Amino acid sequence: MISVIIPFLNEEQSLTELYQRLTAVLKKEFEIIFVNDGSTDNSLKVVQELAEKDGRIRLINFIRNKGKSAALTAGFKKARGEIIITMDADLQDQPEEINKLLEKLKDGYDLVSGWKKKRYDKKIIVYFSRLFNWIIRKTTKLQIHDINCGFKAYRREVAENLSLYGDLYRFIPILAAKEGFKIGETEISHALRRYGRSKYGFSKFFKGFFDLTTVLFLINFKTKPFRLFGTAGISLFGLGSAILVYLTAVWFSGESIGRRPLLIFGMLLVIVGIQLFSLGLMAELLVSVKEGKKKDD
Ligand code: UDP
Ligand code: MG
């Protein structure tokens, strides 16, 4: 069985067509899980009417907007299918492309992400998205071109293992790869948004770079924070100490050093170094307490 999860926020004009095109494409047993992410237009009513006529539609309703991570998580929890598809509700992801994702899944991948190679969004969004994906390819081992494509196919186990909060849904392939799942990518065709408006502006990249830092930190140092802070701390401390040793030698040679900017710089490095070092130890303490608790449970 296939579960299609569709989060929507104010997409009243797309939903009926989306439903019709989906049912025309899906051959095997399926369910469609619509997740209303706090819509303020008629979207909820449209889906309720569809659900009355078709028992394969299930509806999750948030009375306020909680964001895509929460919507997807709720959908994953409810999904009964062995295979799960997620897609946007605005008809930019085209139901007819689902088979491409399913084919690739059959090749032995656990998660297949769509790649909108020709993309119909604002130019600036497209360029920044390319940059964002390039940075991801450089900073992680994942060779992916369109990480945040909403159109994805999952084996059930992948969805069960994801823990998403905030805007981390953007990084699902990285998080899944970290769990050891095999990630694939396949080109899909994309369409212009015909109805309604995009829910994200340029600010998503600003937030995205912060979130990427979080994700990189989590995948590399979640259980060993001291290695990061310790290394940085010792490096700064070492550099600062070297500067101070040098200034001490200068002082012994008879020159005054009290007014040299280098003195302040050296002291600053030593202090910041010690702080980073201690911060790393504190973080390590948190991890060890948390792991200890897990054992007790
Ligand atoms: N969406 C949502 N909750 C939000 C924002 C968006 O469920 O807080 C849905 C939206 O209705 C659409 C999908 O997520 O189905 C992708 O949003 P959008 O098309 O606005 O993003 P874009 O394609 O412009 O990146
Ligand atoms: Mg869209």
Side-chain angles (χ1 to χ4, degrees):
M1 175 162 162
I2 296 180
S3 301
V4 183
I5 300 175
I6 307 175
F8 64 91
L9 170 62
N10 299 340
E11 309 283 4
E12 57 186 2
Q13 288 152 299
S14 311
L15 292 162
T16 307
E17 180 182 334
L18 177 63
Y19 162 75
Q20 286 163 351
R21 283 168 61 183
L22 263 174
T23 44
V25 167
L26 292 167
K27 292 282 174 306
K28 281 194 216 142
E29 198 191 350
F30 69 88
E31 62 177 1
I32 305 176
I33 302 176
F34 281 104
V35 188
N36 174 28
D37 191 9
S39 297
T40 50
D41 65 355
N42 259 324
S43 299
L44 179 62
K45 220 167 137 215
V46 172
V47 174
Q48 278 169 338
E49 272 162 23
L50 290 172
E52 264 167 36
K53 283 181 230 137
D54 189 338
R56 296 168 298 186
I57 295 183
R58 304 169 74 202
L59 175 62
I60 298 172
N61 189 24
F62 294 168
I63 50 175
R64 68 172 176 87
N65 178 247
K66 293 192 188 177
K68 246 173 131 179
S69 281
L72 290 174
T73 302
F76 288 148
K77 265 202 196 129
K78 196 155 186 158
R80 292 179 291 204
E82 274 312 302
I83 290 175
I84 297 173
I85 306 268
T86 60
M87 66 191 296
D88 290 354
D90 57 358
L91 294 170
Q92 288 196 279
D93 296 339
Q94 308 193 66
E96 295 73 25
E97 301 289 291
I98 283 182
N99 286 327
K100 287 190 193 161
L101 295 173
L102 294 178
E103 281 302 311
K104 186 96 184 181
L105 210 56
K106 274 192 204 139
D107 292 346
Y109 291 95
D110 299 307
L111 163 60
V112 177
S113 186
W115 173 11
K116 302 167 293 227
K117 198 163 183 182
K118 176 119 186 59
R119 185 170 170 178
Y120 296 90
D121 282 313
K122 282 203 190 107
K123 279 259 156 24
I124 179 106
I125 298 273
V126 175
Y127 292 141
F128 263 85
S129 165
R130 274 192 205 141
L131 173 68
F132 192 66
N133 280 287
W134 179 82
I135 292 174
I136 283 171
R137 286 198 296 279
K138 293 289 162 201
T139 52
T140 70
K141 284 182 206 119
L142 205 62
Q143 291 310 303
I144 202 160
H145 295 86
D146 193 2
I147 188 156
N148 185 27
C149 183
F151 211 0
K152 290 184 168 64
Y154 305 70
R155 282 186 205 289
R156 174 174 195 86
E157 305 79 63
V158 182
E160 279 170 356
N161 274 292
L162 285 174
S163 129
L164 307 174
Y165 64 89
D167 282 336
L168 291 195
Y169 70 89
R170 288 205 183 103
F171 305 96
I172 287 175
I174 301 180
L175 299 170
K178 169 72 180 163
E179 295 295 319
F181 293 112
K182 204 172 161 203
I183 315 297
E185 181 175 59
T186 191
E187 274 177 44
I188 47 151
S189 66
H190 188 231
L192 208 67
R193 194 187 241 282
R194 275 187 285 145
Y195 311 106
R197 290 170 21 152
S198 171
K199 308 301 177 296
Y200 303 100
F202 185 72
S203 71
K204 72 174 172 182
F205 293 108
F206 198 67
K207 295 174 191 155
F209 286 110
F210 278 101
D211 293 344
L212 177 61
T213 312
T214 306
V215 168
L216 289 177
F217 179 69
L218 287 181
I219 61 172
N220 292 311
F221 300 105
K222 189 177 180 187
T223 54
K224 38 185 187 308
F226 188 44
R227 291 198 193 163
L228 177 67
F229 292 109
T231 312
I234 285 181
S235 313
L236 296 189
F237 182 83
L239 187 62
S241 305
I243 290 174
L244 294 185
V245 166
Y246 162 73
L247 285 178
T248 309
V250 171
W251 185 75
F252 272 115
S253 75
E255 259 178 65
S256 107
I257 57 168
R259 287 169 173 233
R260 292 189 62 167
L262 196 60
L263 179 63
I264 296 172
F265 186 55
M267 280 163 53
L268 199 67
L269 287 180
V270 167
I271 294 170
V272 172
I274 293 174
Q275 279 185 338
L276 281 180
F277 195 86
S278 339
L279 190 68
L281 279 178
M282 287 299 277
E284 200 76 16
L285 199 62
L286 283 180
V287 174
S288 99
V289 169
K290 196 174 140 236
E291 291 300 312
K293 263 203 193 130
K294 258 193 216 158
K295 230 186 217 163
D296 294 344
D297 293 344

